[in-house]
Amino acid sequence: MKTKYIIIVLFLFAFIINSCDKVSPPFVEGRDYCSGNKKVLLEDYTGHGCNNCPEAAVIAHDLQDFFCERVVIIGVHAGYFAQPYLNGDSLLSADFNTEAGTTWDNYFGVSAQGNPNGLIDRVKGPSGYVISKDSWAKVIDTLLQNNAKAMITINNEFNIDTKILTTSVQTKFTEDVSGNYKLIVCITQDNIIAPQLNKNEEIGPTPMDINYVHNHVLRKAINGAWGESLNGSGTVSANTSYDKTYTQEFVDDWIPKNCHIVAFVYHEDTKTVLQAEELGVLE
Amino acid sequence: MKRLITILIFALLITPFVKGQDFLSKSQVHGSFELDGMYYQADDALGITDSLINGNVFGFNGFADIIYSLGNFSAGFRYEAYLPPIAGFDRNLEGQGFPYLWATYTTEKFSFTVGNFYEQFGNGLTLRTYQEWSLGYDNSINGARVIYEPTRGLIFKGVYGTQRYFWAPFEKNGRGIVKGFDGEINLNDVFGSMADSKIRLILGGSAVSKYQSDQNPMYKMPQNVASFAGRFNLGIGKFNFTSEYAYKINDPSAVNSYIYKPGDALVFTGSYSTKGLGIFAMFKRIDNMSYKSDEAVLSNALDINFLPPIVEPHTYMLAAMYPYATQPNGEMGFQLQINYKIPKKSKLGGKYGMGISVNYSQINDIAREKANDTAYIGQSGTMGWTSDFFKFGDQIFNRDLTIEIDKKFNRRFKSIFKYIYQDYNIATILGHTGEPNVKANIAIVDMTWKFTSKKSIRWELQGLWTSEDKGDWAAALVEYTISPHWFFTIADQYNYGNKHSYEQLHYYTGSFGYTLKTTRFALTYGRQREGVVCVGGVCRQVPASSGFYVTISSSF
């Protein structure tokens, strides 16, 4: 009788022991992401009062490298942690909030779930649109397996004298699609030095890095928070192109050499981004 | 809902085996429910403006637990609603539905459960699923469980399923599948020769594994992660010793920043108990023991195991200001508690005796060294760190000395005096990076005067003195009770020592409640200070709020 119990126990422990995968180094995957035409939009919702946000910014940057520059990043400063003079701190005087960023944040409820958090191509999963930084890689990997249903080409002309940018964005669909597709064109800026709370000593001084370098900071959505419709409605056939041109006068804080145009096309109903593209203002 | 229908059909299928009159006379239905509502109002002093509330003036959490039993069969469900969740609860809880549905059939030796269930192996180091309403926490398993007790003192348990993640259904390539086995033998029960022994010994062991498909593009993920534990419970006369050691293989996750070192945990307790004296000691060491069924989840969800706390849980207003949250990536500590009852009719004890309790606990970080020369401690995609098992880290996470004296002076008047010293690592536990440890002295006096057998008044005076964080606090509470139905309470917490004069605020509340048998109603109006609520070392942040709070609960 006792032998029977011993056999049961040994069998069940063997069953579990068999459920062990010991991984040997190297632990980092070595996949090739440099082929493929799909690009993914990563919106990193952040704020200078969020001490976990520098880690998310590092992750976003690493993902851009890891996925062979097929990730387009927008740093959206919105919500509680992005308030200027947060908690009365005069060092946190910068205001990177934008009308578009706040509109998106309210619609998708990102900062309401805490910072840092993000949107990836604005896809909606079982728990909603908001995706935590540690799930970004997984979602991006999945999306990059697809072919792009549209290709975006950006041409920028910047007049140094007038400080006026003329950006032309061509969207060419590569597959038949249906629905109302809209184009959003934004300006982002790198290399902005301003104080940022930080808790990771590997990234910079803690608890505040007064010389923190903010990258991909959303400055403005040139054609509005929800952009402009390309096709109105109905279906779009493959190889159909739409050309849009916008002009934007730069304010003094926007350093042209550090600025980029980010353009992305999305489906009006689902908000899902079809394709994204980025080009330096002076490129 | 489909699962609810399935369970009801199952219930109906077995009913033909029961005679009609038996069905009615032997059926039993039990249940409980609770409704918590919050009405928010703007409060400029707390920084709560109408624009911040933005029309969301109500928060509502509610549940109803219903259990039906008939002979060996029982089944039940829990309805939950968070519409929207009260401030401080995870926003992912928003919604309503039946997240907990189950049916159990029990025979003399077997118990079968399908649907959702809660289970614990040993101390929980490898598996513990539970629900804690005050945290909005529920990691129940949805699947099947078999319990087999072939003879008295010998018990086997097996579980298989997926865990609850708020309202998200299980999907392929989503969160992991959990399977586990536990065996326990009580030697005194199984072996007749030990039945009357003064030595009592229980041995147990468990093994748990999770399967989650590798969807991580950056790291090579182990798809099957197992953990094992062995434990004993030894009683020798008035002494009792328990211990459990658990080991987990490589489990890179968001919690440990994707490091690949194995984890382990040790819990050891010893106690001595005799009339008037109780001594309890505990040692705990945790190294990389977060164990979740989804590698990417950071929030309080999908925990497979539980890491027991070793800190005195405080309930008084100011004593609970700095609660300790278990650090699953590594902590090492001990606790010692002595309870002594000074006998009646002694010089100090007086007519009714006097109770003295001393509790000291300390938790440090574990000592960590680089795993190799080319990686920093905790670097993602490496072995993370190495650690000497018996060496405490330099960083103190928490120290707590609590001395309590309870004394009944006469048949009308009794009181509790309490002194607490806390050394609290606010940078690690609450993420206040760069801030020094909070060193706080807390004194509490709690007195009760009984006017009659039904009417009594209780008042508390509390002080918390610290030069860190928000500085000094004072608190007072007066509660008038008319048993068994009514209570009326007013309380205030005053942050008079805050270095910012505009933050020297009163957090006042007034409340009353009415209880009728098992039904309780309570209404509170006032301010709630920003803070942390912890149960068993698991915590949630609570924002400051102002307004009305109502709660109704009942059971039948």
Side-chain angles (χ1 to χ4, degrees), chain A:
Chain A
M1 198 64 177
K2 284 168 187 167
T3 308
K4 184 177 75 175
Y5 301 142
I6 292 169
I7 291 170
I8 291 173
V9 170
L10 290 177
F11 172 77
L12 290 169
F13 270 101
F15 175 66
I16 301 288
I17 287 169
N18 197 35
S19 301
C20 287
D21 297 340
K22 190 161 180 1
V23 181
S24 301
F27 300 122
V28 179
E29 298 277 11
R31 296 182 197 167
D32 174 24
Y33 286 96
C34 291
S35 56
N37 58 4
K38 168 75 178 133
K39 290 193 175 181
V40 168
L41 179 70
L42 165 57
E43 292 168 80
D44 174 13
Y45 283 74
T46 184
H48 57 185
C50 158
N51 63 5
N52 288 308
C53 288
E55 285 181 3
V58 169
I59 288 173
H61 177 77
D62 289 348
L63 292 177
Q64 206 169 33
D65 285 347
F66 185 80
F67 290 114
C68 202
E69 305 300 323
R70 290 171 65 195
V71 177
V72 176
I73 302 169
I74 301 178
V76 182
H77 291 245
Y80 174 79
F81 289 113
Q83 292 175 60
Y85 300 102
L86 183 68
N87 295 326
D89 192 333
S90 59
L91 287 171
L92 299 176
S93 59
D95 186 358
F96 298 129
N97 290 278
T98 58
E99 191 179 330
T102 303
T103 303
W104 298 338
D105 186 47
N106 288 336
Y107 181 84
F108 295 108
V110 188
S111 69
Q113 294 196 27
N115 292 114
N117 265 312
L119 305 177
I120 313 284
D121 266 357
R122 300 185 173 181
V123 292
K124 190 174 185 181
S127 300
Y129 290 101
V130 182
I131 297 169
S132 66
K133 67 184 193 308
D134 295 293
S135 294
W136 291 351
K138 194 187 294 185
V139 179
I140 292 169
D141 173 67
T142 304
L143 293 169
L144 287 180
Q145 308 304 319
N146 304 319
N147 288 323
K149 292 182 177 176
M151 296 300 292
I152 297 172
T153 307
I154 305 170
N155 279 301
N156 292 328
E157 285 183 23
F158 187 77
N159 187 318
I160 294 174
D161 297 326
T162 62
K163 292 187 177 178
I164 291 177
L165 168 74
T166 303
T167 182
S168 303
V169 181
Q170 182 187 71
T171 307
K172 184 177 182 180
F173 288 84
T174 57
E175 291 181 18
D176 295 347
V177 292
S178 61
N180 182 12
Y181 286 90
K182 291 177 126 179
L183 172 72
I184 296 178
V185 180
C186 311
I187 296 175
T188 63
Q189 185 173 344
D190 291 342
N191 297 319
I192 302 173
I193 296 173
Q196 166 76 49
L197 294 190
N198 171 44
K199 65 178 290 190
N200 189 333
E201 292 174 351
E202 301 295 335
I203 295 173
T206 59
M208 180 185 285
D209 184 353
I210 57 171
N211 292 311
Y212 183 78
V213 180
H214 296 261
N215 289 318
H216 311 287
V217 178
L218 175 67
R219 286 303 202 174
K220 186 178 183 182
I222 295 175
N223 59 349
W226 298 113
E228 183 181 5
S229 178
L230 294 174
N231 62 321
S233 61
T235 59
V236 182
S237 304
N239 296 319
T240 305
S241 290
Y242 297 92
D243 293 292
K244 299 285 181 185
T245 300
Y246 305 96
T247 57
Q248 175 65 51
E249 184 176 358
F250 271 39
V251 297
D252 288 343
D253 287 347
W254 301 0
I255 311 298
K257 69 175 182 180
N258 294 335
C259 290
H260 290 77
I261 291 295
V262 171
F264 56 96
V265 176
Y266 72 98
H267 189 282
E268 155 103 69
D269 295 338
T270 64
K271 306 295 185 228
T272 303
V273 173
L274 222 59
Q275 178 70 325
E277 192 53 85
E278 180 179 33
L279 185 71
V281 162
L282 299 184
E283 289 181 36

Side-chain angles (χ1 to χ4, degrees), chain B residues 133-265:
Chain B
W133 181 247
S134 62
L135 294 176
Y137 184 86
D138 183 3
N139 64 342
S140 64
I141 294 176
N142 184 14
R145 175 181 61 184
V146 179
I147 299 175
Y148 176 42
E149 193 171 358
T151 182
R152 186 164 172 263
L154 186 61
I155 188 163
F156 301 111
K157 296 176 183 176
V159 301
Y160 199 104
T162 62
Q163 290 182 280
R164 178 184 178 187
Y165 186 60
F166 304 106
W167 300 101
F170 174 72
E171 291 182 346
K172 186 183 176 187
N173 296 332
R175 59 186 182 266
I177 297 166
V178 178
K179 49 185 178 284
F181 166 73
D182 184 77
E184 185 171 285
I185 181 169
N186 184 325
L187 299 178
N188 300 78
D189 287 342
V190 172
F191 299 104
S193 57
M194 290 183 67
D196 298 322
S197 172
K198 288 184 178 178
I199 297 174
R200 302 172 307 281
L201 182 60
I202 300 171
L203 301 174
S206 60
V208 176
S209 178
K210 67 163 177 177
Y211 167 79
Q212 186 180 24
S213 64
D214 181 4
Q215 301 294 313
N216 192 313
M218 295 191 75
Y219 301 106
K220 292 175 185 170
M221 301 297 292
Q223 297 193 119
N224 293 286
V225 177
S227 68
F228 309 91
R231 62 182 186 270
F232 72 82
N233 186 331
L234 173 66
I236 307 171
K238 292 174 180 176
F239 291 91
N240 197 72
F241 303 96
T242 72
S243 185
E244 182 165 15
Y245 174 77
Y247 178 86
K248 176 172 66 88
I249 69 162
N250 50 196
D251 183 22
S253 69
V255 174
N256 67 14
S257 299
Y258 293 95
I259 64 166
Y260 284 73
K261 86 183 292 290
D264 63 359

Side-chain angles (χ1 to χ4, degrees), chain B residues 327-374:
Chain B
Q327 302 298 306
N329 286 337
E331 63 176 25
M332 188 169 176
F334 61 92
Q335 181 184 25
L336 178 65
Q337 174 151 345
I338 300 171
N339 298 321
Y340 181 63
K341 179 83 174 177
I342 297 175
K344 296 175 183 175
K345 297 177 182 172
S346 63
K347 195 170 183 181
L348 269 175
K351 185 178 178 183
Y352 298 94
M354 184 170 80
I356 299 176
S357 165
V358 179
N359 183 296
Y360 179 77
S361 62
Q362 176 164 343
I363 305 168
N364 284 36
D365 194 2
I366 55 172
R368 299 170 209 252
E369 301 289 339
K370 285 181 177 179
N372 60 59
D373 291 338
T374 57

Side-chain angles (χ1 to χ4, degrees), chain B residues 8 45 55 91 122-123 138 165 169 206 232 421 440 461 505 555:
Chain B
L8 290 175
R91 300 294 297 180
N123 291 292
D138 183 3
Y165 186 60
S206 60
F232 72 82
Y421 172 75
L461 294 172
L505 301 174
S555 61

